[in-house]
């Protein structure tokens, strides 16, 4: 295990009028304003609990010109991702998702021992280890040295770098042009979106494929998933905006799938427009047509979100306050980034939520950013027997309710906050 980072994040946001990071038009429309919030992964250690904490605006805007929903960059990614507390292998369902993806990709794209698979933001090797097990060469690119070290320990060759044109140029010079580039849950995290996507086109083998998994804006809106908005997520994609961004950099979207992961994601399949040989599939036409029918090709189609978010906040607070008035004790389960957006926006502190628990030993003994709710090991629930357990990673609610089924013995209730307050 590594020690928590102590350096101050560098603020790079300015007071000047922000402009769209994709098309450079001025950003003047609000998508949703969640107020001031600390970085959602900046867990507070016990010896820092009385220290000053940095809060930044969590104000998502939408570009009136290209419709990209985005947050201004207040914190450089080097301050966020150089040492990262998230180890993908701690989630059983995410590891299973990765294995299923690898099996599909090997068959679908005919990958062999002569192919090369590269993953951008390869984390602790949770995905590429399945590629290597099948005898196919793989290379991870991961900016956080601590998680990259975990991947190396699994035998996954990993370079510690941020991805973009410069990294692509370096790999091409080494003669490493992948047949498959995997970019799962990373395209939202890059402030220089154009540099990142341009790197794919430079690097990809002539008839190679890049698959990109990214949270789906249309699902975020439909299910009130405002807690997936945080400073580390610089942009939020519909299929239409993703297609537009890829096309600008010479990449053609030839297939798309809707996935259930992270509350609703898109898996985008792209190839070089100039040398790719796959026809554009029916699913691309269907999904873009559906988005147009729902109004996602217009600014107005995105602007009713704030009202839904306020309603979610009010109903969660009503539930928690009613329970506390009856003398009940409420504990949280999980300390995910999305929980921190939710708790800070709703103003939930230890008066409403006694503590939360998390399986990740890196987080245990620390405090949630902003709200300073303590993080304890999962065993605390058995000792403490809370009346309600608020499941913060609601996207894993079935898995977690299963793991915690023992708590039903003392009558504990499992509660999820999103899309609306619900007792499972
Ligand atoms: Zn724009």
């Amino acid at each position: 295990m590594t020690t928590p980072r102590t350096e101050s994040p560098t603020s790079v946001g300015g007071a000047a009028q922000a402009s769209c990071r994709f098309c450079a038009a001025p950003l003047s429309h609000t998508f949703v304003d969640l107020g001031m919030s600390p970085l959602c992964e900046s867990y507070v250690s016990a010896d820092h609990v009385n220290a000053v904490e940095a809060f930044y605006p969590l104000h998502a805007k939408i570009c009136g010109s290209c419709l990209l929903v985005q947050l201004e960059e207040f914190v450089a990614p080097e301050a966020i991702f150089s040492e990262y507390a998230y180890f993908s292998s701690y989630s059983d369902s995410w590891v299973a998702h990765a294995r299923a993806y690898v099996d599909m990709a090997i068959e679908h794209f005919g990958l062999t021992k002569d192919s090369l698979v590269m993953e951008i933001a390869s984390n602790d090797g949770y995905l590429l280890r399945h590629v290597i097990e099948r005898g196919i060469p793989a290379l991870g690119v991961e900016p956080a040295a601590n998680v990259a070290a975990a991947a190396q320990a699994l035998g996954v060759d990993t370079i510690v770098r941020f991805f973009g044109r410069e990294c692509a140029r370096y790999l091409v010079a080494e003669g490493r042009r992948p047949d498959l580039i995997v970019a799962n849950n990373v395209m939202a995290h890059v402030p220089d979106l154009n540099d990142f996507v341009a790197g794919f086109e430079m690097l990809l083998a002539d008839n190679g494929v890049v698959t990109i998994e990214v949270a789906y804006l249309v699902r975020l809106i439909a299910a009130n998933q405002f807690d997936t908005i945080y400073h580390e997520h610089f942009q939020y994609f519909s299929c239409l905006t993703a297609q537009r961004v890829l096309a600008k950099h010479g990449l053609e979207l030839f297939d798309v799938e809707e996935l259930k992961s992270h509350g609703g994601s898109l898996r985008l399949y792209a190839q070089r427009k100039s040398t790719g040989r796959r026809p554009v599939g029916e699913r691309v036409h269907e999904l873009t047509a559906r988005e147009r029918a729902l109004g996602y090709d217009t600014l107005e189609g995105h602007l009713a979100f704030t009202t839904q978010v306020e309603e979610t906040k009010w109903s969660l607070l009503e539930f928690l306050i009613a329970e506390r008035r009856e003398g009940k004790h409420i504990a949280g389960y999980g300390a995910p980034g999305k929980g921190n957006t939710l708790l800070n926006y709703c103003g939930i502190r230890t008066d409403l939520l006694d503590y939360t628990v998390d399986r990740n030993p890196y987080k245990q003994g620390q405090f949630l950013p902003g709200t300073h709710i303590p993080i304890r090991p999962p065993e605390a629930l058995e000792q403490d027997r809370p009346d309600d357990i608020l499941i913060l990673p609601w996207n894993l609610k079935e898995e977690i309710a299963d793991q915690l089924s023992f708590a039903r013995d003392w009558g504990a209730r499992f509660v999820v906050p999103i899309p609306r307050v619900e007792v499972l």
Side-chain angles (χ1 to χ4, degrees), residues 181-260:
I181 301 178
V182 186
N184 287 346
N185 303 300
V186 58
M187 202 158 79
H189 291 292
V190 289
D192 194 345
L193 178 64
N194 288 318
D195 182 65
F196 183 82
V197 177
F200 292 146
E201 203 271 340
M202 291 168 65
L203 183 59
L204 204 56
D206 285 350
N207 193 34
V209 174
V210 52
T211 72
I212 299 162
E213 290 183 26
V214 69
Y216 187 23
L217 178 72
V218 172
R219 283 296 305 157
L220 184 157
I221 293 172
N224 284 335
Q225 296 164 359
F226 65 90
D227 60 343
T228 62
I229 296 174
Y230 38 85
H231 298 102
E232 293 86 337
H233 280 178
F234 296 109
Q235 51 258 332
Y236 303 81
F237 295 94
S238 63
C239 187
L240 287 167
T241 53
Q243 187 179 38
R244 192 172 294 132
V245 169
L246 292 167
K248 179 181 168 175
H249 296 287
L251 294 162
E252 179 175 56
L253 182 70
F254 68 87
D255 197 5
V256 62
E257 274 179 275
E258 278 188 78
L259 306 176
K260 291 205 169 88

Side-chain angles (χ1 to χ4, degrees), residues 20-25 27 63-68 70:
C20 173
R21 69 167 50 89
F22 175 61
C23 78
L27 279 181
C63 175
S65 175
C66 74
L67 303 179
L68 183 67
Q70 57 199 288

Side-chain angles (χ1 to χ4, degrees), residues 139-155:
L139 176 66
V141 179
E142 167 57 50
N146 62 327
V147 285
Q152 296 279 16
L154 282 177

